[in-house]
């Protein structure tokens, strides 16, 4: 059996410490990388929605957009003096791609919601902007963004023009006004119209049945 002297033990100690340090680094490095990635993802998710522009959309570097309840209009920023014959624009039910033929698309991706391709069209304006009109399938909701993953707007701050509301039939207008009211209530942390209605029903029921014990009932 080999005998290790105290001198040899002292000489080997630094090597053992270095080896342990390397092993610890190798073991913890993936965990550290994983933690960093989680932190970066959380930071991305913490991005606040943008205040809508005057058209209830958003102005971006590659494109800007506006919307009504029934349509979304995308304005793709093209190189100056672009000719319509050099433009390509492909509109599918859940996908949009537009740009210059033979070049990388300026806009491409999955749409925020479905559209009606047969009711969509595009046109070139002033030789520098491609205007793409998208007709929504669901014409009772506001889009947060055009392309999934792109910056979002705060839909609770959308302000449709009164003139547009007056053009709607009474039932549709009531639905839109209710939706707008609920969005404002949620933004302020207050109950929606449906929640208030349930509250009133419960309160009325309690007043009609004083003999019942509602001490543990919570009214929001």
């Amino acid at each position: 059996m080999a005998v290790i002297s105290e001198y040899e033990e002292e000489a080997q100690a630094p090597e053992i410490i270095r080896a342990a340090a390397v092993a610890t680094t190798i073991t913890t490095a993936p965990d550290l990388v994983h933690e960093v990635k989680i932190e970066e993802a959380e930071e991305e998710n913490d991005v606040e929605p943008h205040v809508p522009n005057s058209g209830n959309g958003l102005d971006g570097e590659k494109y800007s957009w506006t919307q009504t309840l029934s349509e979304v209009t995308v304005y793709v920023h093209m190189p100056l003096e672009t000719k319509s014959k050099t433009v390509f624009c492909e509109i599918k039910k859940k996908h949009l791609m537009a740009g210059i033929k033979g070049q990388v698309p300026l806009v491409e991706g999955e749409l925020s919601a479905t559209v009606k391709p047969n009711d969509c069209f595009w046109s070139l304006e002033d030789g520098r902007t491609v205007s793409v009109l998208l007709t929504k399938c669901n014409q009772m909701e506001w889009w947060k963004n055009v392309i999934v993953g792109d910056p979002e707007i705060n839909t609770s701050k959308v302000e449709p023009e009164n003139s547009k509301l007056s053009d709607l039939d009474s039932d549709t207008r009531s639905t839109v006004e209710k939706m707008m009211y609920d969005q404002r209530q949620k933004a302020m942390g207050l109950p929606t119209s449906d929640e208030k209605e349930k509250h009133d029903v419960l309160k009325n029921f309690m007043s009609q049945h004083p003999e019942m014990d509602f001490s543990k009932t919570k009214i929001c």
Side-chain angles (χ1 to χ4, degrees):
M1 180 176 68
V3 178
I4 301 176
S5 66
E6 293 181 0
Y7 175 79
E8 291 174 326
E9 288 180 349
E10 292 177 357
Q12 292 177 355
E15 295 297 329
I16 294 173
I17 293 173
R18 281 197 292 271
V22 170
T24 302
T25 302
I26 293 174
T27 302
T28 59
D31 295 333
L32 291 174
V33 171
H34 182 63
E35 290 177 1
V36 170
K37 288 183 177 180
I38 291 176
E39 290 179 358
E40 290 178 349
E42 289 177 347
E43 288 179 359
E44 290 178 358
N45 293 332
D46 290 339
V47 176
E48 290 291 330
H50 297 271
V51 176
N53 59 22
S54 59
N56 295 319
L58 194 63
D59 299 321
E61 181 180 350
K62 293 185 177 180
Y63 69 91
S64 301
W65 62 283
T66 60
Q67 67 174 320
T68 63
L69 275 173
S70 59
E71 300 172 343
V72 172
T73 304
V74 184
Y75 302 95
V76 184
H77 309 315
M78 310 293 283
L80 291 176
E81 299 182 1
T82 296
K83 304 297 183 183
S84 58
K85 64 181 180 181
T86 65
V87 175
F88 76 89
C89 184
E90 182 181 80
I91 305 170
K92 295 183 178 180
K93 189 172 184 179
K94 199 71 169 59
H95 190 271
L96 173 65
M97 182 167 59
I100 301 293
K101 294 178 181 177
Q103 298 183 17
V104 177
L106 295 172
V107 176
E108 180 180 18
E110 179 185 355
L111 291 171
S112 180
T114 55
V115 299
K116 303 175 182 179
N118 292 336
D119 295 329
C120 301
F121 61 87
W122 66 270
S123 61
L124 179 64
E125 301 177 358
D126 302 327
R128 57 183 179 182
T129 303
V130 169
S131 174
V132 184
L133 186 141
L134 305 173
T135 302
K136 299 177 180 179
C137 286
N138 183 350
Q139 301 190 352
M140 295 302 295
E141 69 175 0
W142 299 107
W143 284 18
K144 294 181 178 180
N145 53 14
V146 175
I147 303 296
V148 174
D150 280 1
E152 299 181 354
I153 64 167
N154 186 341
T155 54
S156 67
K157 296 186 180 297
V158 165
E159 297 181 0
E161 297 179 9
N162 291 330
S163 59
K164 295 295 182 181
L165 286 176
S166 63
D167 293 339
L168 302 174
D169 61 77
S170 58
D171 291 339
T172 303
R173 179 172 179 173
S174 297
T175 301
V176 173
E177 290 176 340
K178 177 178 178 295
M179 181 178 65
M180 292 168 58
Y181 172 80
D182 288 343
Q183 287 178 341
R184 288 194 295 269
Q185 290 293 97
K186 287 182 179 179
M188 294 186 292
L190 300 175
T192 63
S193 54
D194 290 337
E195 292 170 342
K196 288 182 66 176
E197 183 178 355
K198 291 177 182 178
H199 171 275
D200 293 340
V201 170
L202 178 58
K203 192 174 181 180
N204 186 45
F205 178 81
M206 291 171 64
S207 65
Q208 293 177 0
H209 298 276
E211 75 281 0
M212 299 181 67
D213 181 15
F214 295 100
S215 59
K216 295 183 180 180
T217 301
K218 182 180 179 181
I219 302 179
C220 300

